[in-house]
Amino acid sequence: MRVQSLTLAVAGAALLAPTTLPAAPVAWVRPLAGPGALREGDVRAADLLAKVRDCAPVSRGRYRSDDGERATIPVCGTKEAVYWKADLDIDCDGQAGAKCNARTDPLFSSMTAFQQSDGRYLDAERLPYIVVPAASALWNHRDHGIGGGSVAAVVYRDRVQYAVVGDVGPHDIIGEASYATAKGLGIRTDPRGGGTDSGVTYIVFKDARVKPIEDHAAAVETGQRLARLFVGTGMGTGTGTGAGAGTGTD
């Protein structure tokens, strides 16, 4: 069963250290972005999955996939990223639309933990975002340079969807993403009975955020660049110059 995400206030959250991102490849073609993409960018799902085959746990315990399930999912980490392998429950919270509203989703909330640059809450129908567990003794995402706007690569079968961290969920449950993320991965989007029970890998890059948080094209650009480096096909180092790349507050 899906558990409604927490809508935590962001005021007073700790600032993260400034981010230095690797330089974009010399021959750069901005990818086509959007939640309907079969595979965003040119980094293959198989190459990303090969890099996260093993797990060095960074969480102090394990998470449940849903309320009432056994806790079996660790958060793993490398120098560049943290990752977990879980299910995908549909987060439809934030701005109401034709697909995400109180009628279509009995657990609908008009708020998300993070907000757009115009002060409105996120739009789950249009913005690919993922949900991280609330900070706790089990694991604190902030300790790894992760907060609102952090860039993630979400992998399902042969599909890669770049997303941002856009909401915060229960402290003991993991595996949730927005309607748009599920759509981009080819996963059933119905908030009542959609999602998938397994097979989704969430890779969140450390100290890498986009501003404004709703700029999905910037998330794709930054995510692809970091994914290339993560799998060992990146070129060069230095300060990132992609549109919207940078640091932000939790």
Side-chain angles (χ1 to χ4, degrees):
M1 63 180 283
R2 174 175 168 249
V3 176
Q4 182 174 343
S5 299
L6 301 180
T7 53
L8 302 182
V10 299
L15 294 175
L16 296 176
T19 299
T20 300
L21 295 176
V26 174
W28 171 253
V29 178
R30 192 179 186 90
L32 293 175
L38 174 62
R39 186 184 76 213
E40 293 185 317
D42 59 6
V43 179
R44 298 189 310 159
D47 292 334
L48 286 167
L49 293 177
K51 294 294 292 186
V52 297
R53 184 177 294 117
D54 301 320
C55 177
V58 296
S59 57
R60 295 181 178 89
R62 300 187 176 215
Y63 286 91
R64 307 174 190 276
S65 60
D66 293 292
D67 192 28
E69 298 291 330
R70 292 192 309 117
T72 61
I73 304 168
V75 176
C76 313
T78 68
K79 181 176 67 174
E80 303 89 357
V82 299
Y83 56 93
W84 55 92
K85 302 175 184 182
D87 62 343
L88 190 152
D89 294 322
I90 306 299
D91 187 318
C92 240
D93 296 338
Q95 298 179 40
K99 305 296 184 181
C100 291
N101 54 65
R103 179 181 55 81
T104 61
D105 182 2
L107 296 177
F108 176 77
S109 170
S110 60
M111 297 184 291
T112 50
F114 306 105
Q115 295 167 263
Q116 296 181 165
S117 55
D118 61 4
R120 294 190 297 167
Y121 292 104
L122 304 184
D123 185 342
E125 291 184 22
R126 297 178 60 83
L127 180 67
Y129 69 75
I130 69 169
V131 181
V132 295
S136 69
L138 182 59
W139 182 59
N140 187 341
H141 54 275
R142 300 187 192 103
D143 293 341
H144 300 270
I146 294 167
S150 289
V151 178
V154 190
V155 184
Y156 179 66
R157 296 178 178 172
D158 63 346
R159 298 191 180 197
V160 178
Q161 172 73 67
Y162 292 105
V164 292
V165 171
D167 208 354
V168 174
H171 72 278
D172 61 343
I173 293 177
I174 205 166
E176 190 174 0
S178 69
Y179 179 104
T181 305
K183 182 178 179 181
L185 293 171
I187 294 171
R188 188 180 174 204
T189 55
D190 180 6
R192 291 178 180 267
T196 183
D197 290 336
S198 63
V200 180
T201 300
Y202 304 77
I203 304 169
V204 189
F205 298 107
K206 297 179 179 179
D207 297 316
R209 305 195 192 188
V210 294
K211 285 186 174 181
I213 192 172
E214 68 269 22
D215 187 347
H216 180 59
V220 175
E221 183 174 337
T222 301
Q224 179 175 247
R225 175 157 37 87
L226 296 178
R228 283 175 171 171
L229 292 168
F230 187 63
V231 302
T233 60
M235 300 170 56
T237 59
T239 302
T241 58
T247 59
T249 57
D250 235 356

